[in-house]
Amino acid sequence: MDKWVYAWIALAFGAVLLGLMALGWRNRVRRQGALGAPLEAPSEPGRSLRSVPVLYVATTAAGKPLERVAVRGLGFRARGALEVLETGITLDLAGSAPVFIPADHLVGAGRATWTIDRVVEPGGLLLIGWLLGGAPVESYLRLTDRTDLDDVVADIRTLIPDTRSDAQESRPQ
């Protein structure tokens, strides 16, 4: 009989922990509600400059690589594709609608080594700085073929308005 009591206590403790995790995530989504939702891809996005398969790691508040953004389509890791277009960037992640980042919302591009729960070799992550609802955010992606990383960074930087071209080099290291 004693082992059943302990089993029920362990189950109740696990249920309380899961409930607290769900409550924390819901509160994060509510706090970040003012950011708005990312834009959807336009019907005529323009000519494609490059398309690469990626592992989407996270989007965080700019300069705060441990503060995950939990808005539609950006809250969880996913496999997907990054397409650099003449008019901006499309991020097509499994399980969500494609996210479009217009060129005039881009702030910077570079390399990073770590974010939230991912650490890779030095400069192994693609860092894209952009504006989400007017707030600066940073998205981190891991390219499947890392030999394309410098080319992708260069392609993205060609889209950034001249006034912001040096905003992000390779933060965080």
Side-chain angles (χ1 to χ4, degrees), residues 25-75:
W25 187 259
R26 188 188 70 169
N27 287 339
R28 175 180 297 274
V29 170
R30 185 180 303 151
R31 274 192 320 268
Q32 296 174 348
L35 289 176
L39 300 175
E40 293 184 17
S43 58
E44 295 293 325
R47 185 175 61 91
S48 176
L49 303 176
R50 181 178 306 273
S51 182
V52 292
V54 296
L55 172 63
Y56 170 76
V57 179
T59 295
T60 65
K64 299 177 182 177
L66 299 177
E67 189 177 316
R68 183 183 299 271
V69 171
V71 298
R72 178 191 58 81
L74 299 175

Tab-separated table of all heavy atoms in Angstrom, residues 25-75:
chain	number	residue	atom	x	y	z
A	25	TRP	N	4.171	29.499	-19.833
A	25	TRP	CA	4.175	29.734	-21.277
A	25	TRP	C	3.016	30.650	-21.677
A	25	TRP	O	3.178	31.563	-22.483
A	25	TRP	CB	4.096	28.409	-22.030
A	25	TRP	CG	4.275	28.588	-23.497
A	25	TRP	CD1	3.314	28.618	-24.450
A	25	TRP	CD2	5.513	28.816	-24.177
A	25	TRP	NE1	3.868	28.827	-25.686
A	25	TRP	CE2	5.220	28.947	-25.545
A	25	TRP	CE3	6.835	28.904	-23.771
A	25	TRP	CZ2	6.205	29.171	-26.506
A	25	TRP	CZ3	7.814	29.122	-24.728
A	25	TRP	CH2	7.487	29.253	-26.068
A	26	ARG	N	1.837	30.423	-21.103
A	26	ARG	CA	0.678	31.261	-21.407
A	26	ARG	C	0.937	32.713	-21.010
A	26	ARG	O	0.593	33.646	-21.746
A	26	ARG	CB	-0.565	30.730	-20.694
A	26	ARG	CG	-1.848	31.450	-21.131
A	26	ARG	CD	-2.991	31.048	-20.290
A	26	ARG	NE	-2.737	31.646	-18.965
A	26	ARG	CZ	-3.620	31.699	-18.005
A	26	ARG	NH1	-4.794	31.164	-18.162
A	26	ARG	NH2	-3.336	32.262	-16.849
A	27	ASN	N	1.559	32.920	-19.864
A	27	ASN	CA	1.878	34.277	-19.425
A	27	ASN	C	2.908	34.936	-20.339
A	27	ASN	O	2.836	36.137	-20.600
A	27	ASN	CB	2.368	34.279	-17.982
A	27	ASN	CG	1.243	34.020	-17.004
A	27	ASN	OD1	0.073	34.218	-17.318
A	27	ASN	ND2	1.588	33.544	-15.817
A	28	ARG	N	3.885	34.165	-20.831
A	28	ARG	CA	4.867	34.703	-21.772
A	28	ARG	C	4.171	35.154	-23.058
A	28	ARG	O	4.437	36.232	-23.571
A	28	ARG	CB	5.929	33.657	-22.094
A	28	ARG	CG	6.914	34.108	-23.162
A	28	ARG	CD	7.953	33.059	-23.448
A	28	ARG	NE	8.766	32.777	-22.304
A	28	ARG	CZ	9.857	33.453	-21.976
A	28	ARG	NH1	10.239	34.458	-22.726
A	28	ARG	NH2	10.556	33.137	-20.921
A	29	VAL	N	3.286	34.332	-23.579
A	29	VAL	CA	2.543	34.682	-24.797
A	29	VAL	C	1.720	35.947	-24.563
A	29	VAL	O	1.676	36.841	-25.412
A	29	VAL	CB	1.652	33.504	-25.257
A	29	VAL	CG1	0.708	33.927	-26.350
A	29	VAL	CG2	2.517	32.334	-25.711
A	30	ARG	N	1.086	36.050	-23.412
A	30	ARG	CA	0.279	37.225	-23.088
A	30	ARG	C	1.151	38.485	-22.985
A	30	ARG	O	0.806	39.539	-23.510
A	30	ARG	CB	-0.470	37.011	-21.780
A	30	ARG	CG	-1.422	38.163	-21.474
A	30	ARG	CD	-2.188	37.977	-20.190
A	30	ARG	NE	-2.926	36.726	-20.217
A	30	ARG	CZ	-3.224	36.023	-19.142
A	30	ARG	NH1	-2.848	36.438	-17.949
A	30	ARG	NH2	-3.905	34.914	-19.236
A	31	ARG	N	2.301	38.384	-22.313
A	31	ARG	CA	3.219	39.529	-22.185
A	31	ARG	C	3.717	40.008	-23.541
A	31	ARG	O	3.926	41.187	-23.748
A	31	ARG	CB	4.433	39.147	-21.333
A	31	ARG	CG	4.256	39.288	-19.869
A	31	ARG	CD	5.582	39.183	-19.134
A	31	ARG	NE	6.503	38.182	-19.628
A	31	ARG	CZ	6.592	36.935	-19.185
A	31	ARG	NH1	5.780	36.510	-18.254
A	31	ARG	NH2	7.488	36.108	-19.678
A	32	GLN	N	3.925	39.082	-24.460
A	32	GLN	CA	4.469	39.433	-25.763
A	32	GLN	C	3.382	39.681	-26.803
A	32	GLN	O	3.683	39.860	-27.979
A	32	GLN	CB	5.411	38.331	-26.254
A	32	GLN	CG	6.623	38.189	-25.370
A	32	GLN	CD	7.491	37.014	-25.753
A	32	GLN	OE1	7.109	36.162	-26.541
A	32	GLN	NE2	8.677	36.954	-25.189
A	33	GLY	N	2.142	39.749	-26.388
A	33	GLY	CA	1.028	39.971	-27.310
A	33	GLY	C	1.123	41.287	-28.053
A	33	GLY	O	0.630	41.413	-29.180
A	34	ALA	N	1.762	42.282	-27.462
A	34	ALA	CA	1.893	43.593	-28.108
A	34	ALA	C	2.833	43.557	-29.315
A	34	ALA	O	2.784	44.454	-30.153
A	34	ALA	CB	2.393	44.621	-27.098
A	35	LEU	N	3.661	42.540	-29.393
A	35	LEU	CA	4.570	42.434	-30.539
A	35	LEU	C	3.799	42.222	-31.840
A	35	LEU	O	4.261	42.610	-32.902
A	35	LEU	CB	5.548	41.270	-30.358
A	35	LEU	CG	6.626	41.442	-29.307
A	35	LEU	CD1	7.442	40.163	-29.187
A	35	LEU	CD2	7.521	42.613	-29.636
A	36	GLY	N	2.672	41.574	-31.762
A	36	GLY	CA	1.913	41.258	-32.963
A	36	GLY	C	2.425	39.979	-33.589
A	36	GLY	O	3.399	39.385	-33.138
A	37	ALA	N	1.767	39.577	-34.647
A	37	ALA	CA	2.150	38.351	-35.341
A	37	ALA	C	3.098	38.677	-36.496
A	37	ALA	O	3.016	39.753	-37.079
A	37	ALA	CB	0.904	37.656	-35.876
A	38	PRO	N	3.976	37.751	-36.815
A	38	PRO	CA	4.837	37.964	-37.981
A	38	PRO	C	3.999	38.043	-39.258
A	38	PRO	O	2.883	37.520	-39.319
A	38	PRO	CB	5.722	36.723	-38.010
A	38	PRO	CG	5.529	36.030	-36.718
A	38	PRO	CD	4.242	36.500	-36.142
A	39	LEU	N	4.538	38.704	-40.257
A	39	LEU	CA	3.835	38.839	-41.529
A	39	LEU	C	3.820	37.534	-42.291
A	39	LEU	O	4.758	36.738	-42.191
A	39	LEU	CB	4.510	39.920	-42.387
A	39	LEU	CG	4.572	41.323	-41.792
A	39	LEU	CD1	5.377	42.244	-42.697
A	39	LEU	CD2	3.173	41.864	-41.597
A	40	GLU	N	2.766	37.321	-43.072
A	40	GLU	CA	2.708	36.152	-43.943
A	40	GLU	C	3.314	36.514	-45.277
A	40	GLU	O	3.345	37.682	-45.674
A	40	GLU	CB	1.265	35.684	-44.103
A	40	GLU	CG	0.689	35.149	-42.811
A	40	GLU	CD	-0.703	34.592	-42.980
A	40	GLU	OE1	-1.110	34.322	-44.132
A	40	GLU	OE2	-1.382	34.438	-41.970
A	41	ALA	N	3.803	35.517	-45.977
A	41	ALA	CA	4.460	35.738	-47.268
A	41	ALA	C	3.474	36.344	-48.267
A	41	ALA	O	2.325	35.920	-48.345
A	41	ALA	CB	5.021	34.434	-47.799
A	42	PRO	N	3.923	37.340	-49.035
A	42	PRO	CA	3.045	37.930	-50.050
A	42	PRO	C	2.838	36.966	-51.211
A	42	PRO	O	3.619	36.033	-51.410
A	42	PRO	CB	3.815	39.179	-50.499
A	42	PRO	CG	5.238	38.871	-50.205
A	42	PRO	CD	5.228	37.977	-48.996
A	43	SER	N	1.772	37.204	-51.972
A	43	SER	CA	1.493	36.315	-53.107
A	43	SER	C	2.548	36.454	-54.201
A	43	SER	O	2.843	35.510	-54.910
A	43	SER	CB	0.096	36.599	-53.670
A	43	SER	OG	0.022	37.959	-54.059
A	44	GLU	N	3.130	37.634	-54.349
A	44	GLU	CA	4.204	37.874	-55.315
A	44	GLU	C	5.452	38.334	-54.558
A	44	GLU	O	5.728	39.522	-54.480
A	44	GLU	CB	3.776	38.945	-56.331
A	44	GLU	CG	2.613	38.542	-57.211
A	44	GLU	CD	2.978	37.411	-58.166
A	44	GLU	OE1	4.128	37.365	-58.644
A	44	GLU	OE2	2.107	36.557	-58.394
A	45	PRO	N	6.239	37.399	-54.005
A	45	PRO	CA	7.356	37.807	-53.153
A	45	PRO	C	8.592	38.305	-53.905
A	45	PRO	O	9.488	38.854	-53.294
A	45	PRO	CB	7.689	36.520	-52.395
A	45	PRO	CG	7.269	35.429	-53.306
A	45	PRO	CD	6.072	35.961	-54.048
A	46	GLY	N	8.648	38.119	-55.190
A	46	GLY	CA	9.825	38.548	-55.939
A	46	GLY	C	10.756	37.380	-56.233
A	46	GLY	O	10.510	36.239	-55.844
A	47	ARG	N	11.850	37.704	-56.900
A	47	ARG	CA	12.810	36.688	-57.329
A	47	ARG	C	13.579	36.136	-56.126
A	47	ARG	O	13.975	36.864	-55.232
A	47	ARG	CB	13.781	37.306	-58.345
A	47	ARG	CG	14.760	36.327	-58.948
A	47	ARG	CD	15.593	36.989	-60.035
A	47	ARG	NE	16.381	38.101	-59.536
A	47	ARG	CZ	17.629	37.995	-59.066
A	47	ARG	NH1	18.207	36.830	-59.008
A	47	ARG	NH2	18.273	39.074	-58.656
A	48	SER	N	13.808	34.827	-56.157
A	48	SER	CA	14.553	34.164	-55.096
A	48	SER	C	16.052	34.293	-55.355
A	48	SER	O	16.530	34.021	-56.450
A	48	SER	CB	14.169	32.685	-55.033
A	48	SER	OG	14.945	32.020	-54.070
A	49	LEU	N	16.792	34.728	-54.327
A	49	LEU	CA	18.246	34.825	-54.432
A	49	LEU	C	18.921	33.553	-53.924
A	49	LEU	O	19.963	33.161	-54.424
A	49	LEU	CB	18.755	36.026	-53.627
A	49	LEU	CG	18.171	37.388	-53.980
A	49	LEU	CD1	18.691	38.460	-53.037
A	49	LEU	CD2	18.485	37.738	-55.425
A	50	ARG	N	18.325	32.922	-52.918
A	50	ARG	CA	18.912	31.714	-52.339
A	50	ARG	C	17.877	31.038	-51.462
A	50	ARG	O	17.109	31.688	-50.778
A	50	ARG	CB	20.134	32.077	-51.508
A	50	ARG	CG	20.837	30.900	-50.869
A	50	ARG	CD	22.065	31.332	-50.103
A	50	ARG	NE	22.975	32.116	-50.896
A	50	ARG	CZ	23.937	31.604	-51.668
A	50	ARG	NH1	24.088	30.315	-51.739
A	50	ARG	NH2	24.741	32.405	-52.344
A	51	SER	N	17.887	29.716	-51.447
A	51	SER	CA	17.018	28.946	-50.567
A	51	SER	C	17.861	27.842	-49.932
A	51	SER	O	18.571	27.122	-50.641
A	51	SER	CB	15.852	28.342	-51.354
A	51	SER	OG	14.995	27.637	-50.479
A	52	VAL	N	17.797	27.743	-48.605
A	52	VAL	CA	18.594	26.745	-47.895
A	52	VAL	C	17.751	26.071	-46.813
A	52	VAL	O	16.919	26.710	-46.185
A	52	VAL	CB	19.854	27.375	-47.247
A	52	VAL	CG1	20.837	27.842	-48.288
A	52	VAL	CG2	19.495	28.521	-46.327
A	53	PRO	N	17.973	24.768	-46.597
A	53	PRO	CA	17.295	24.095	-45.486
A	53	PRO	C	17.945	24.496	-44.168
A	53	PRO	O	19.164	24.655	-44.081
A	53	PRO	CB	17.508	22.605	-45.786
A	53	PRO	CG	18.674	22.539	-46.704
A	53	PRO	CD	18.757	23.847	-47.426
A	54	VAL	N	17.116	24.670	-43.142
A	54	VAL	CA	17.607	25.132	-41.845
A	54	VAL	C	16.938	24.377	-40.704
A	54	VAL	O	15.880	23.770	-40.879
A	54	VAL	CB	17.361	26.647	-41.644
A	54	VAL	CG1	18.136	27.476	-42.636
A	54	VAL	CG2	15.886	26.975	-41.689
A	55	LEU	N	17.562	24.477	-39.551
A	55	LEU	CA	16.935	24.105	-38.291
A	55	LEU	C	16.715	25.417	-37.565
A	55	LEU	O	17.670	26.120	-37.233
A	55	LEU	CB	17.840	23.184	-37.471
A	55	LEU	CG	17.363	22.893	-36.049
A	55	LEU	CD1	16.030	22.155	-36.059
A	55	LEU	CD2	18.395	22.105	-35.278
A	56	TYR	N	15.459	25.786	-37.387
A	56	TYR	CA	15.125	27.007	-36.670
A	56	TYR	C	15.359	26.741	-35.186
A	56	TYR	O	14.828	25.793	-34.617
A	56	TYR	CB	13.671	27.391	-36.932
A	56	TYR	CG	13.171	28.500	-36.051
A	56	TYR	CD1	13.535	29.816	-36.290
A	56	TYR	CD2	12.349	28.230	-34.966
A	56	TYR	CE1	13.091	30.835	-35.467
A	56	TYR	CE2	11.897	29.242	-34.149
A	56	TYR	CZ	12.272	30.543	-34.403
A	56	TYR	OH	11.839	31.546	-33.584
A	57	VAL	N	16.165	27.593	-34.549
A	57	VAL	CA	16.495	27.403	-33.141
A	57	VAL	C	15.593	28.257	-32.259
A	57	VAL	O	14.914	27.741	-31.380
A	57	VAL	CB	17.983	27.714	-32.872
A	57	VAL	CG1	18.310	27.532	-31.403
A	57	VAL	CG2	18.874	26.829	-33.733
A	58	ALA	N	15.583	29.576	-32.479
A	58	ALA	CA	14.789	30.455	-31.614
A	58	ALA	C	14.767	31.865	-32.166
A	58	ALA	O	15.606	32.242	-32.980
A	58	ALA	CB	15.369	30.484	-30.207
A	59	THR	N	13.807	32.643	-31.692
A	59	THR	CA	13.791	34.089	-31.875
A	59	THR	C	13.742	34.674	-30.478
A	59	THR	O	12.949	34.235	-29.640
A	59	THR	CB	12.582	34.544	-32.711
A	59	THR	OG1	12.717	34.008	-34.029
A	59	THR	CG2	12.505	36.057	-32.794
A	60	THR	N	14.617	35.643	-30.242
A	60	THR	CA	14.710	36.249	-28.917
A	60	THR	C	14.616	37.762	-29.042
A	60	THR	O	14.761	38.319	-30.130
A	60	THR	CB	16.050	35.901	-28.238
A	60	THR	OG1	17.121	36.488	-28.988
A	60	THR	CG2	16.247	34.412	-28.132
A	61	ALA	N	14.387	38.414	-27.918
A	61	ALA	CA	14.443	39.875	-27.892
A	61	ALA	C	15.885	40.276	-28.207
A	61	ALA	O	16.823	39.619	-27.774
A	61	ALA	CB	14.025	40.385	-26.520
A	62	ALA	N	16.062	41.342	-28.975
A	62	ALA	CA	17.400	41.772	-29.381
A	62	ALA	C	18.274	42.050	-28.166
A	62	ALA	O	17.861	42.727	-27.231
A	62	ALA	CB	17.313	43.007	-30.263
A	63	GLY	N	19.467	41.504	-28.202
A	63	GLY	CA	20.403	41.700	-27.108
A	63	GLY	C	20.112	40.869	-25.871
A	63	GLY	O	20.829	40.958	-24.885
A	64	LYS	N	19.067	40.051	-25.921
A	64	LYS	CA	18.699	39.201	-24.785
A	64	LYS	C	18.544	37.761	-25.281
A	64	LYS	O	17.425	37.269	-25.436
A	64	LYS	CB	17.391	39.682	-24.156
A	64	LYS	CG	17.470	41.091	-23.617
A	64	LYS	CD	16.143	41.536	-23.075
A	64	LYS	CE	16.235	42.973	-22.598
A	64	LYS	NZ	14.946	43.474	-22.134
A	65	PRO	N	19.654	37.079	-25.532
A	65	PRO	CA	19.587	35.753	-26.164
A	65	PRO	C	18.978	34.661	-25.292
A	65	PRO	O	18.878	33.529	-25.732
A	65	PRO	CB	21.050	35.449	-26.487
A	65	PRO	CG	21.834	36.287	-25.559
A	65	PRO	CD	21.020	37.513	-25.304
A	66	LEU	N	18.550	34.975	-24.093
A	66	LEU	CA	17.888	33.990	-23.241
A	66	LEU	C	16.401	34.267	-23.077
A	66	LEU	O	15.714	33.573	-22.331
A	66	LEU	CB	18.566	33.940	-21.867
A	66	LEU	CG	20.034	33.527	-21.890
A	66	LEU	CD1	20.619	33.581	-20.485
A	66	LEU	CD2	20.215	32.155	-22.496
A	67	GLU	N	15.868	35.277	-23.761
A	67	GLU	CA	14.457	35.645	-23.652
A	67	GLU	C	13.722	35.297	-24.943
A	67	GLU	O	13.635	36.085	-25.871
A	67	GLU	CB	14.328	37.143	-23.367
A	67	GLU	CG	12.918	37.548	-23.034
A	67	GLU	CD	12.826	39.020	-22.693
A	67	GLU	OE1	13.680	39.522	-21.952
A	67	GLU	OE2	11.883	39.657	-23.208
A	68	ARG	N	13.182	34.080	-24.993
A	68	ARG	CA	12.523	33.562	-26.197
A	68	ARG	C	11.253	34.352	-26.516
A	68	ARG	O	10.486	34.702	-25.632
A	68	ARG	CB	12.163	32.095	-25.982
A	68	ARG	CG	11.541	31.428	-27.201
A	68	ARG	CD	11.143	29.996	-26.911
A	68	ARG	NE	12.240	29.140	-26.531
A	68	ARG	CZ	12.981	28.446	-27.387
A	68	ARG	NH1	12.744	28.516	-28.664
A	68	ARG	NH2	13.950	27.678	-26.948
A	69	VAL	N	11.046	34.609	-27.807
A	69	VAL	CA	9.812	35.230	-28.280
A	69	VAL	C	8.837	34.100	-28.589
A	69	VAL	O	9.179	33.139	-29.276
A	69	VAL	CB	10.080	36.097	-29.532
A	69	VAL	CG1	8.790	36.564	-30.158
A	69	VAL	CG2	10.963	37.273	-29.166
A	70	ALA	N	7.616	34.212	-28.083
A	70	ALA	CA	6.652	33.115	-28.192
A	70	ALA	C	5.445	33.477	-29.050
A	70	ALA	O	4.340	33.051	-28.774
A	70	ALA	CB	6.195	32.705	-26.797
A	71	VAL	N	5.631	34.285	-30.078
A	71	VAL	CA	4.512	34.632	-30.946
A	71	VAL	C	4.320	33.559	-32.008
A	71	VAL	O	5.173	32.697	-32.201
A	71	VAL	CB	4.703	36.027	-31.599
A	71	VAL	CG1	4.754	37.111	-30.550
A	71	VAL	CG2	5.937	36.055	-32.460
A	72	ARG	N	3.194	33.631	-32.723
A	72	ARG	CA	2.796	32.615	-33.693
A	72	ARG	C	3.945	32.188	-34.610
A	72	ARG	O	4.565	32.989	-35.271
A	72	ARG	CB	1.656	33.149	-34.568
A	72	ARG	CG	1.220	32.166	-35.651
A	72	ARG	CD	0.296	32.767	-36.670
A	72	ARG	NE	0.796	33.915	-37.386
A	72	ARG	CZ	1.621	33.860	-38.448
A	72	ARG	NH1	2.033	32.717	-38.892
A	72	ARG	NH2	1.995	34.966	-39.050
A	73	GLY	N	4.207	30.897	-34.602
A	73	GLY	CA	5.181	30.325	-35.512
A	73	GLY	C	6.632	30.440	-35.083
A	73	GLY	O	7.496	29.827	-35.682
A	74	LEU	N	6.927	31.209	-34.039
A	74	LEU	CA	8.317	31.427	-33.650
A	74	LEU	C	8.656	30.883	-32.266
A	74	LEU	O	9.780	31.040	-31.807
A	74	LEU	CB	8.645	32.927	-33.696
A	74	LEU	CG	8.497	33.605	-35.051
A	74	LEU	CD1	8.736	35.104	-34.924
A	74	LEU	CD2	9.436	32.995	-36.068
A	75	GLY	N	7.740	30.237	-31.605
A	75	GLY	CA	7.960	29.810	-30.238
A	75	GLY	C	8.709	28.509	-30.064
A	75	GLY	O	9.262	28.250	-29.002
